[in-house]
Amino acid sequence: MVVNLNLNLLIMKKRLINLIGIILSLTLLGSCSYQKNNSSDKQVDICIYGGTSAGVIAAYSAKKMGKSVLIIEPGDRLGGLTSGGLGQTDIGNKHAVTGLARDFYRRLGKYYNTFEQWKFEPKAALEIFQQYINEKNIDVLYMHRIVNAEVNDGKIEKIILENSANPSSGSQKEIDAKMFIDCTYEGDLMAKAGVTYTVGREDNNLYNETVNGVQLKEEHQFPDNIDPYIERGNPESGLLWGIQKDELVTNGTGDRKVQAYNFRICLTDSTENLVPIDRPENYDSTKYELLLRLIEAQSNKNLFNYFIWSGMPNRKTDINNRGGFSTDMIGMNWDYPEASYEKRQRIIDEHIDYTKGLLYFWGHDPKVPQQAREEMLKWGYPKDEYINNNHFSPQLYVREARRMVGEYVMTEHHCRGDEVVSDPIALAAYTMDSHNCQRIVTNGMVKNEGDVQVGGFPPYPVSYRSLLPKSNECKNLFVPVCLSASHIAFGSIRMEPVFMVLGQVSAVAASIAIDENQPIQDIDAKKIQDILETNPLLDGTPPDVIVDDADLDLVTVSGSWETQHHFMRNYKSSLLYKKTGDAGSITFQLPVKIKGKYKVFFYCSHPWNPDLVLPEVINLSIAQANTEEQKEINYKKNLNNWAYVGSYIFNPEEKNSIKLISGTTQACIADAVILVPEK
C-alpha cells in the first residue's frame, strides 16, 4: 500500500511538472507578441502583398501551380479598384486580355447571364474575387501592412507586418516565403526591400520620349480667361482653393509631381436602393468656387458635362473625372507615394471630404443652376454597395505612385511600336494616358497641366524583365503593378485587366523559379509564355481558338472590303468593311487542334468612323464535317461584344469554317470569331 501511494505521488508530480511546463510555454508565447528570433508566424512558397485584382489572380494562379500562398491585404476588401468602383473597364483592346484575366470577365458574364461582362457593379466584382479565394482555399491576412523587409544575399527572407487597424498595439507578424509578389498600387514591399524606384515624371530627354514631363494640353482644361484669384483681378487676395503656386515650365521637363487621384463613384437613381447624399461633416463650399466660375464661363451647364457618368447594371454608375474641374483632386496627392501610413490616410480623408462635398455642392448650393441641382438630387449612394463603409468606396484611385526602375524600362517607344521587347509575356493596349498633375496660373488665367491622351497604336508586348528588380538588388520579388516603366508608358500599361494578366505571369514565373531553384532573372520568358498560351486557365482547359481578319493565312475574302483601323474599338488591330451596293463574303478557317464541342461567337465591332453604316443583321454559314448550318445574328444588338452563334462539335481532321455572306442591300463588318471549348 505504501508502494502504491508513492507511485501515485510520483505520477501526480510528473503531471504537475508537465502542466507547469505547458503554462510557462504559453506565457512565453504570449509575451513574445510574434517577435521570434528563429521562426515566423507563416511560411509559404509565395507571399503576395496586396489583395488587388492582380493580387487575387496571382494567388489563384500560384495555387493552380501547386504552391502554398498567402495574400496580405492592408485593408478589409479584395479587388482594389476593380471591386472599388471602376466598373467601366479600361480595356483598350480585348485582344490584350488573356488567361485568368479573361476568365474574370467571363465569370462576370455568368453573373449577368451573358458571355463576357465588361461593365459591372462593385459587389459583383467582389463576389467573383471571393470565388477565386474560396475555390482554392487561399489564405488571406486582412488589415496588416508591411513595416520592414529582411533582405540577405539579394533575397527577401521575411517581411514584418503590423496590424493596420491598431498599429499602436505593437503586435507584429513575420512572414517567410520563397517568392514575393508586390501587387499594391503603392509599391510598398518593393520599397522596403530596397529596390530602386522613381516617383513623378521623367524629363523627355531621359528616354528620348515626346509626351513625358510637363504637358500643357487642351483636354480636361479650363477655357481661357477664368480668373484664379479670390477677389477677381486682384492677385493680392490670394488664389482660389485648388490652385497651386507653381509656375509653368517648359514642356517635357521632368518633376516629381503625380497625376491626380479620385474615387470612381458608384451612385444609383433607384429610389428603393438609394441613400441620400447628405452634407458631409467637413463640408466647405469655398472649395468649389472655381467650379462656379467654370460653370459661369460655359454654355453647356448640364450636370453630365462635368462628369464622365457611365451607366452600370441595375441603375448604378461609375463616375469619373471630366473637364476642368471634376472628381480629380489635382495637385493634392504629390506626397502620397512615399508618405507614412498616417499621412496617406490624411490624404485619403481629404479626397473623401472633397468628393462627397462636390456631390453635395452640385445638389444643394443655390449658385449651381437649378436644372443641374434637380438632376443631382435624383442620385444617391447605393444601399447594397460598400455596406461596411457607409456605402462609399474604400479604394482611392491611386493612378500612379512609385514605379520600379528594374531590369528593363518600358517607354513611349514600346507603346508606339518603335521598339519591340525580346521577352514578351503580356500585351498592353490602352492609350498613353495621364490625368492632370497640377493646376496653376499662367498668363493670369487658371490652367490644368499634365493631361495626356495619345493613342492610335495596336496592342504591344510587355517585357518580362519589366516585372523584375535589378538582379543585384533582389532575386525573389516580382512587381507586376508598380512595374518598371516611364511615367507615360505606365499610363498605357496601368489598366486593371493588364494588372491581372501580369499578376498571373508573376505567379507562374515564381512557381518555375521555385521548381528550378533559380533567381527570377534567370527564368526563360518563353517558358512562361508557353504555359500561358497552351494552358491559360492553368487547369488543362484548352485555349480558345481565335481567328481575326488580320490572320491572312486563315481568312479568305471575296468582293470589295476595306480595312479599317481603330485600336480601341476593333478586335486586335483591324476590321473589314463592305459598303452598301457591293456583294461579298469572308471565310474564317478554324484551326481546331482538339476534337470537341465549342461555343462559337462572332465579334460585333463598333467603328468610331461615323461614315461607316452598321449592319442590322449578318448572315453566317457554319461548316463542320460534311454539314453546313445557316445562322442570322443581330449585329446592332451586340455592338462591342461577342454575339453567340451556337454550339458545335469540331474535328481537326475535317474542314471547319465560318463564312459571312453579305448581299448588295446592306453594309457589313467582319472582325473576329472565337471558339470556346465547352467543359
Side-chain angles (χ1 to χ4, degrees):
M1 187 170 180
V2 173
V3 173
N4 289 339
L5 180 61
N6 290 337
L7 182 60
N8 289 336
L9 287 172
L10 182 61
I11 292 172
M12 291 175 64
K13 183 178 180 180
K14 287 184 177 181
R15 288 176 177 173
L16 182 60
I17 290 171
N18 290 337
L19 180 60
I20 291 171
I22 292 170
I23 293 171
L24 286 173
S25 298
L26 291 172
T27 303
L28 285 171
L29 282 172
S31 65
C32 285
S33 186
Y34 298 110
Q35 298 174 14
K36 303 173 184 178
N37 295 323
N38 299 312
S39 63
S40 293
D41 298 280
K42 186 80 172 179
Q43 295 180 334
V44 292
D45 293 323
I46 301 176
C47 174
I48 295 165
Y49 187 65
T52 58
S53 60
V56 175
I57 295 300
Y60 187 77
S61 301
K63 289 284 275 190
K64 287 271 190 176
M65 296 289 287
K67 300 298 180 279
S68 58
V69 179
L70 172 68
I71 296 178
I72 299 163
E73 168 50 41
D76 62 359
R77 185 181 175 93
L78 293 171
L81 255 297
T82 299
S83 67
L86 206 167
Q88 179 75 15
T89 307
D90 294 321
I91 306 164
N93 191 303
K94 292 177 183 176
H95 172 60
V97 186
T98 57
L100 288 168
R102 180 61 70 96
D103 178 70
F104 172 80
Y105 295 101
R106 289 185 181 170
R107 290 186 184 219
L108 280 169
K110 290 182 181 179
Y111 183 96
Y112 289 108
N113 196 30
T114 187
F115 176 45
E116 293 175 352
Q117 184 71 21
W118 302 87
K119 296 183 179 182
F120 48 87
E121 302 157 271
K123 69 175 186 179
L126 182 63
E127 181 172 317
I128 303 305
F129 286 127
Q130 194 61 51
Q131 281 181 15
Y132 288 119
I133 299 299
N134 294 344
E135 283 176 17
K136 302 304 293 184
N137 296 315
I138 297 169
D139 290 335
V140 183
L141 179 61
Y142 291 99
M143 301 305 295
H144 279 78
R145 62 196 184 193
I146 188 168
V147 294
N148 198 11
E150 292 187 8
V151 181
N152 289 305
D153 296 326
K155 287 188 175 182
I156 304 172
E157 291 189 348
K158 66 177 63 176
I159 60 175
I160 295 88
L161 311 172
E162 68 178 9
N163 188 317
S164 51
N166 187 21
S168 61
S169 68
S171 176
Q172 294 186 337
K173 289 183 182 292
E174 295 181 357
I175 310 297
D176 280 2
K178 298 172 184 175
M179 292 285 157
F180 292 84
I181 306 177
D182 187 343
C183 290
T184 63
Y185 298 117
E186 295 85 2
D188 286 339
L189 171 54
M190 168 186 72
K192 293 293 185 185
V195 171
T196 300
Y197 65 85
T198 188
V199 174
R201 304 178 284 187
E202 294 91 351
D203 195 286
N204 267 335
N205 292 329
L206 181 61
Y207 298 118
N208 194 28
E209 296 176 304
T210 65
V211 286
N212 210 332
V214 170
Q215 299 287 322
L216 187 64
K217 304 284 188 180
E218 296 302 316
E219 293 290 331
H220 301 289
Q221 187 59 275
F222 286 89
D224 287 348
N225 301 316
I226 292 187
D227 194 295
Y229 304 113
I230 295 173
E231 182 183 321
R232 298 185 193 227
N234 180 12
E236 300 300 320
S237 65
L239 296 170
L240 290 173
W241 185 92
I243 303 175
Q244 288 86 50
K245 296 180 180 179
D246 297 53
E247 295 183 0
L248 181 66
V249 298
T250 306
N251 259 23
T253 303
D255 57 30
R256 289 181 61 82
K257 292 169 183 172
V258 180
Q259 63 173 306
Y261 301 165
N262 70 347
F263 285 96
R264 298 296 286 255
I265 309 167
C266 184
L267 300 181
T268 183
D269 65 350
S270 169
T271 55
E272 299 82 10
N273 193 33
L274 183 149
V275 177
I277 299 171
D278 293 331
R279 179 187 176 102
E281 184 178 349
N282 298 318
Y283 180 66
D284 180 0
S285 64
T286 64
K287 290 181 178 179
Y288 314 106
E289 180 62 32
L290 188 56
L291 172 59
L292 290 174
R293 294 189 187 179
L294 177 61
I295 295 171
E296 178 185 293
Q298 293 185 314
S299 57
N300 185 351
K301 304 179 189 302
N302 187 289
L303 172 70
F304 306 117
N305 189 45
Y306 299 86
F307 302 91
I308 297 177
W309 201 285
S310 302
M312 296 296 109
N314 296 317
R315 297 174 64 175
K316 294 177 185 173
T317 68
D318 170 3
I319 298 173
N320 196 12
N321 183 82
R322 168 176 278 162
F325 193 110
S326 186
T327 61
D328 278 0
M329 201 171 172
I330 299 171
M332 305 298 180
N333 62 331
W334 296 345
D335 293 337
Y336 182 91
E338 297 182 296
S340 66
Y341 293 127
E342 293 74 22
K343 186 170 184 179
R344 278 187 189 166
Q345 189 58 54
R346 290 196 296 272
I347 293 171
I348 293 170
D349 291 342
E350 289 167 0
H351 278 72
I352 294 172
D353 289 343
Y354 168 78
T355 307
K356 289 185 174 181
L358 177 66
L359 298 175
Y360 180 82
F361 179 85
W362 270 105
H364 296 86
D365 196 285
K367 296 178 184 177
V368 171
Q370 182 177 349
Q371 182 179 355
R373 273 185 282 136
E374 291 175 352
E375 181 63 45
M376 186 70 237
L377 290 174
K378 297 176 183 177
W379 298 86
Y381 305 116
K383 290 180 183 177
D384 60 347
E385 296 286 358
Y386 313 122
I387 295 170
N388 297 327
N389 200 54
N390 295 319
H391 312 289
F392 190 82
S393 175
Q395 179 62 61
L396 181 65
Y397 193 169
V398 179
R399 290 190 172 91
E400 186 175 351
R402 298 182 178 98
R403 299 188 314 280
M404 179 171 61
V405 182
E407 284 279 289
Y408 190 88
V409 180
M410 299 292 296
T411 69
E412 174 184 338
H413 307 293
H414 299 102
C415 301
R416 294 185 185 276
D418 297 330
E419 291 183 19
V420 180
V421 304
S422 61
D423 54 345
I425 39 73
L427 293 173
Y430 207 72
T431 59
M432 290 182 284
D433 177 280
S434 173
H435 282 234
N436 281 302
C437 298
Q438 60 180 333
R439 180 178 287 147
I440 55 177
V441 177
T442 178
N443 298 323
M445 303 177 290
V446 60
K447 290 291 179 180
N448 294 333
E449 183 278 311
D451 184 272
V452 179
Q453 298 173 52
V454 177
F457 43 80
Y460 60 92
V462 177
S463 168
Y464 170 63
R465 288 166 292 159
S466 70
L467 311 182
L468 313 179
K470 296 174 182 177
S471 59
N472 64 341
E473 292 183 347
C474 193
K475 296 179 175 63
N476 67 336
L477 171 67
F478 291 86
V479 187
V481 177
C482 297
L483 76 163
S484 184
S486 70
H487 157 71
I488 202 60
F490 185 81
S492 170
I493 299 169
R494 64 172 181 85
M495 304 304 156
E496 291 286 294
V498 179
F499 284 159
M500 284 190 257
V501 174
L502 296 178
Q504 181 174 9
V505 167
S506 298
V508 170
S511 300
I512 295 172
I514 291 171
D515 292 342
E516 298 185 355
N517 193 27
Q518 285 187 319
I520 59 178
Q521 290 84 1
D522 292 346
I523 301 302
D524 185 356
K526 182 66 166 58
K527 186 175 294 186
I528 305 167
Q529 194 62 274
D530 287 346
I531 292 173
L532 296 175
E533 288 180 356
T534 60
N535 189 16
L537 303 185
L538 304 177
D539 63 358
T541 300
D544 297 340
V545 178
I546 302 174
V547 183
D548 183 77
D549 68 281
D551 298 328
L552 301 181
D553 58 330
L554 296 172
V555 176
T556 303
V557 178
S558 173
S560 299
W561 295 80
E562 301 174 2
T563 300
Q564 299 281 338
H565 297 279
H566 196 294
F567 304 114
M568 297 285 281
R569 282 294 181 96
N570 47 243
Y571 191 84
K572 206 171 182 178
S573 61
S574 62
L575 59 82
L576 295 173
Y577 180 75
K578 182 192 72 64
K579 296 179 180 178
T580 305
D582 297 329
S585 67
I586 294 181
T587 302
F588 297 87
Q589 301 295 335
L590 307 178
V592 175
K593 295 181 180 179
I594 301 173
K595 181 179 180 180
K597 196 171 187 180
Y598 295 82
K599 291 182 179 179
V600 179
F601 298 85
F602 185 94
Y603 196 68
C604 300
S605 291
H606 186 181
W608 280 19
N609 187 340
D611 297 329
L612 301 188
V613 179
L614 295 173
E616 291 286 344
V617 297
I618 58 171
N619 297 297
L620 300 176
S621 175
I622 299 91
Q624 50 174 154
N626 297 318
T627 64
E628 195 166 318
E629 181 180 347
Q630 309 299 314
K631 275 292 183 80
E632 184 179 270
I633 302 299
N634 188 319
Y635 194 95
K636 282 192 173 181
K637 185 180 178 181
N638 291 283
L639 282 180
N640 295 326
N641 282 305
W642 293 102
Y644 179 62
V645 178
S647 183
Y648 303 91
I649 295 175
F650 293 107
N651 188 337
E653 297 179 358
E654 298 166 343
K655 187 175 181 180
N656 306 294
S657 67
I658 294 179
K659 186 176 185 179
L660 184 154
I661 305 168
S662 178
T664 60
T665 59
Q666 69 168 359
C668 202
I669 295 175
D671 195 342
V673 296
I674 186 171
L675 278 60
V676 180
E678 290 196 45
K679 296 181 180 180

